[in-house]
Amino acid sequence: MFKTPFSFNGRIRRLEYGLSILIINAYIILIAFIVNFPLLEDHVQPSETSVLLFLLGLIPAYWFAFAQAAKRCHDRDNSGWFQLIPFYGFWLLFADGFPGKNQYGPNPKGIGNIDEIDQIGNYLQVFLLFFFNDDFINLYHVP
């Protein structure tokens, strides 16, 4: 989890996406507190310096948010541009990912990924079926 948080490549699970949203919100509140930017105060004008520092602090937050959302879109087997659809980010929190590998990489849950070791198991099963009868296979519970 969070191996390459600022990269737009790959896929992430719903949990990492949800945690990313929480981290982004905590970061924005922290930056506002550090630069003394009034988020909830009425009728308080922030200084130009605090506005500039706050906006500079938002750049990595938005980069992180867009990168994580793009990777979550990739898990749904969609382009990262789908995150620009209104309320699609909300859908990304609850929709399950595409099973197996897709053009963006293997499933982060491991569901549907076919590895070489799985292929070896299939060859072993074919070998046993070819040389032995069904009673032998059922006796030793070979899948």
Side-chain angles (χ1 to χ4, degrees), residues 70-121:
K71 288 188 279 191
R72 184 67 188 122
C73 288
H74 293 168
D75 192 40
R76 297 274 310 134
D77 202 22
N78 294 321
S79 169
W81 292 103
F82 272 60
Q83 66 183 305
L84 299 177
I85 298 172
F87 302 107
Y88 193 72
F90 187 69
W91 173 251
L92 293 175
L93 278 173
F94 300 105
D96 201 13
F98 183 79
K101 294 181 181 179
N102 64 14
Q103 62 181 337
Y104 303 106
N107 188 337
K109 287 184 179 179
I111 298 172
N113 295 341
I114 297 176
D115 296 331
E116 290 80 19
I117 194 70
D118 294 332
Q119 295 299 322
I120 292 171

Side-chain angles (χ1 to χ4, degrees), residues 12 24 42 51 63 70 81:
I12 60 171
I24 291 164
D42 291 336
V51 170
W63 186 279
W81 292 103

Side-chain angles (χ1 to χ4, degrees), residues 26-104:
Y27 174 78
I28 290 172
I29 291 170
L30 179 70
I31 291 297
F33 180 74
I34 289 172
V35 300
N36 199 16
F37 190 80
L39 286 178
L40 301 175
E41 299 176 17
D42 291 336
H43 309 294
V44 176
Q45 291 293 331
S47 68
E48 292 179 12
T49 306
S50 65
V51 170
L52 180 65
L53 291 174
F54 183 71
L55 291 176
L56 286 174
L58 288 181
I59 292 172
Y62 278 117
W63 186 279
F64 177 73
F66 287 135
Q68 293 295 89
K71 288 188 279 191
R72 184 67 188 122
C73 288
H74 293 168
D75 192 40
R76 297 274 310 134
D77 202 22
N78 294 321
S79 169
W81 292 103
F82 272 60
Q83 66 183 305
L84 299 177
I85 298 172
F87 302 107
Y88 193 72
F90 187 69
W91 173 251
L92 293 175
L93 278 173
F94 300 105
D96 201 13
F98 183 79
K101 294 181 181 179
N102 64 14
Q103 62 181 337
Y104 303 106

